[in-house]
């Protein structure tokens, strides 16, 4: 396999909300707008407080555009400080996950599910995946070389969507970014399949 | 190389202090005592507050026994919340590192250096190292297999000390432990040298 270069997106804790939830939290018709004009998913200018059994997070970013479900993505470190015992899941896979409370500018909602630690993944077009001999759902090793914290992430899931052959972008969280010493300009490479790792058990 | 099994020790932020500092912070003659009777380095029953430019940490564990220098080990995530811009260093290598303030039960001290993000490492006896074809200072790949967050830590430094051939124990921080999904009973294996990773640049 060629060593495909991958851009790195490190996500801090954030919320995805439905428009119905936004209406309650920030007022009827409140618009989730991008901080910087953009296509596709964006970091909005809207912030909320998220409360768990042991602690709360202030100024949590709401992502846009609105989705069909409410989801709070936090790091494993955040699960300990907040007491929200979120499992490792792919985005959208929220059945059986813990709930959380969100406080906006005009209202608050307690959701009964939706808290996840996001499973690391790489977005790419289907044509790129095909060229690399990969398909949606495959699990790869992604290597990040940094000064002193070089790291290979196994269990990195390929999200191959759309026929386009463009950006190859990984999403990892702050624990993962910090463990690898990721800074401005750091990039990653796909170096193999997770199943290529040695059998250790 | 045989895949040497490695126990995993995940360290939360902690302090190493001199007896002189302990005297000022907790009262003349205050003893740093282990929470559980033990040999060698231990987690003590003493706690302190550490203050940085942007935030503080309460109930930070003081490790024992006392050392000849004062050092605060924090995670990369902690550097952002506290504003203490600690570099990645091996323990004891504190020249040119940022300072921090410690508040004890009876006094406080502002140190002018000593804050580090600890570089991951593996302690082993010299005989074990020799058997593995490794020596003190070598840099290896340490693989941790977990359910969904399997990870290979490159840049893991071998600390081979003493002639004994006993426990092989890695020290990683909370960012690193969480990025790998480390839980009770998780263990690691040395699977190669960091220099065995593919050339990507």
């Amino acid at each position: 396999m060629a060593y495909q270069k991958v851009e790195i997106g490190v996500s801090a804790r954030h919320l995805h909300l439905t428009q119905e939830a936004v209406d309650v939290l920030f007022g009827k018709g409140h618009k989730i707008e991008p901080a910087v004009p953009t296509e596709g998913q964006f970091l909005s200018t809207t912030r909320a407080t998220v409360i768990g059994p042991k602690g709360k997070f202030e100024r949590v970013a709401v992502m846009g555009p609105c989705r069909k479900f409410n989801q709070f993505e936090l790091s494993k470190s955040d699960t300990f400080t907040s007491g929200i015992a979120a499992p490792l899941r792919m985005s959208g896979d929220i059945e059986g996950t813990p709930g959380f409370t969100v406080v906006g500018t005009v209202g608050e909602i307690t959701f009964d599910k939706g808290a996840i630690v996001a499973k690391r993944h790489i977005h790419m077009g289907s044509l790129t995946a095909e060229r690399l001999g990969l398909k949606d759902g495959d699990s790869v090793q992604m290597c990040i070389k940094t000064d002193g914290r070089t790291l290979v992430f196994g269990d990195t899931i390929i999200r191959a969507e759309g026929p386009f052959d463009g950006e190859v972008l990984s999403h990892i969280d702050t624990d993962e970014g910090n463990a690898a010493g990721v800074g401005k300009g750091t990039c990653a490479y796909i170096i193999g399949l997770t199943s290529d790792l040695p059998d250790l058990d």
Side-chain angles (χ1 to χ4, degrees), chain A:
Chain A
M1 186 192 297
Y3 296 147
Q4 170 66 44
K5 190 172 177 178
V6 179
E7 301 297 317
I8 303 172
V10 178
S11 299
R13 66 185 81 96
H14 61 273
L15 284 162
H16 297 284
L17 298 171
T18 63
Q19 184 61 51
E20 292 67 36
V22 168
D23 286 348
V24 173
L25 295 167
F26 304 100
K28 185 84 185 157
H30 176 90
K31 272 193 182 164
I32 300 297
E33 293 182 305
V36 177
T38 185
E39 285 178 40
Q41 182 170 292
F42 57 83
L43 181 71
S44 83
T45 53
T46 301
R47 297 291 179 273
T49 297
V50 178
I51 304 175
K54 282 176 56 185
K56 67 180 177 180
F57 301 114
E58 289 174 342
R59 295 194 53 71
V60 174
V62 177
M63 304 299 288
C66 284
R67 292 203 182 172
K68 290 187 176 160
F69 54 90
N70 298 291
Q71 180 171 284
F72 177 43
E73 297 183 34
L74 69 171
S75 72
K76 188 82 182 168
S77 295
D78 290 340
T79 68
F80 297 117
T81 52
S82 66
I84 302 172
L88 188 67
R89 294 281 182 94
M90 292 298 291
S91 182
D93 180 14
I94 59 173
E95 282 312 311
T97 59
F100 54 95
T101 296
V102 181
V103 182
T105 50
V106 304
E108 83 174 58
I109 306 176
T110 295
F111 297 105
D112 64 357
K113 64 182 177 187
I116 66 167
V117 176
K119 196 157 178 177
R120 49 194 175 234
H121 56 276
I122 299 173
H123 291 283
M124 60 175 65
S126 301
L127 293 177
T128 309
E130 199 178 314
R131 185 165 48 76
L132 296 170
L134 295 171
K135 61 182 189 304
D136 189 66
D138 278 353
S139 174
V140 301
Q141 296 180 50
M142 179 175 76
C143 182
I144 298 179
K145 285 204 174 179
T146 57
D147 185 16
R149 286 201 145 180
T150 290
L151 196 153
V152 181
F153 289 108
D155 290 329
T156 307
I157 307 302
I158 298 296
R159 296 278 77 158
E161 292 159 314
F164 63 93
D165 191 6
E167 190 181 42
V168 177
L169 173 66
S170 63
H171 282 169
I172 60 177
D173 71 15
T174 47
D175 286 339
E176 295 170 324
N178 289 330
V182 169
K184 217 179 163 99
T186 307
C187 64
Y189 292 84
I190 298 171
I191 62 166
L193 298 173
T194 303
S195 57
D196 295 336
L197 283 169
D199 193 8
L200 300 172
D201 302 318

